[in-house]
Each structure stands twice: as structure tokens, then as C-alpha cells.
Amino acid sequence: MNTNERRVVVAVDESEESMHALSWCLNNLFSPDTNNTIVLLYVKPPLPVHSSFDAAGYIFSNDVIKAVEKYATESVNSVMNRAEAVYRNFQNNIHVKRVVGCGDAKDVICGTVEKLEADTLVMGSHGYGFIKRALLGSVSDYCAKHVKCPVVIVKHPEEN
């Protein structure tokens, strides 16, 4: 990859924070004289895998599984359409690729960044406090520690 080419992965999801991170990335990381590729990465949670009876004794019919898969597909389309609305108004020298992964977000994001040899990873911050972050974990903290490229974690401006 020559010095005028940049490949930036932006992790997107249903949150306003991820769309703000995408907008920030477009406004701050690209200059008009470079050949840019932005990779929009959406990670679907894995579908639940159960035997015909799980621990609670519920039966997961094919109809339920199809409904969950349909919802996941609709979520992907919704997020990518929102992202398109953000990048549509920017310069023409940005090539956009859409990538959808499935699994644990932190693992999929790190694996995709490595596979694509990204120059930068951009993520939004949900702004969790110490307790919530300690209980839930932080995908952005994990990625910042495990990917080889620079990571930009974009905070959403406080609403007044």
C-alpha cells in the first residue's frame, strides 16, 4: 500500500455514538489528495445455539430461528443505511466497503482489522462509567490493547 492510500475500519452498530465516530472519521482523517478506503464493519451477535430443549426446557422451532435471523438481517440493513446517509455527502475519493461479521464483537473487530491490514480503527465510545464498564467490559478498550494499528475512540459530545 503506498503512502497516499489509507484503509480505515470504522466499527458501526445501532448506536448514535458509532454514527458520530463515522462522521468524525470522515471529517478528520481524510484529505482530498489521498486514495481512501473506509470499511464499515458491523458485527452481528451469534445466533443462539440450542438443542431442541435448552436448560429451561424451551423448544426453539424453525420459525423462531428464522424470525431471529430476519431481525439480524434487518438490523444490518438499517445500520448500513444510516451509515450511508452519513458518508453520502463526503468527497468522491472515498471507497466504501461493507463488512458484516458474526460473533463476539471484540474478537470479530480485531480479527477483521488484522485480516484487512487496516491503517486505523475508529470506534465510538458509549461513555459507560467505571462500574458498568467493569461489569460489561469495553469492546473499545479490548481492541485498543489487541490490534496492531492505531485506534481512535471517538467520544460523543455531551448533550445539553
Side-chain angles (χ1 to χ4, degrees), residues 81-122:
N81 287 339
R82 287 179 58 216
E84 182 179 341
V86 172
Y87 71 73
R88 169 181 327 142
N89 297 323
F90 286 86
Q91 62 215 29
N92 293 334
N93 65 338
I94 297 176
H95 307 287
V96 179
K97 293 183 181 180
R98 298 173 177 205
V99 175
V100 178
C102 184
D104 186 17
K106 64 182 187 285
D107 295 328
V108 174
I109 293 168
C110 291
T112 302
V113 166
E114 184 177 335
K115 180 181 175 185
L116 296 176
E117 298 178 346
D119 297 303
T120 308
L121 169 62
V122 177

Side-chain angles (χ1 to χ4, degrees), residues 139-150:
V139 173
S140 59
D141 285 348
Y142 181 90
C143 293
K145 292 174 184 170
H146 290 89
V147 299
K148 295 177 182 172
C149 68

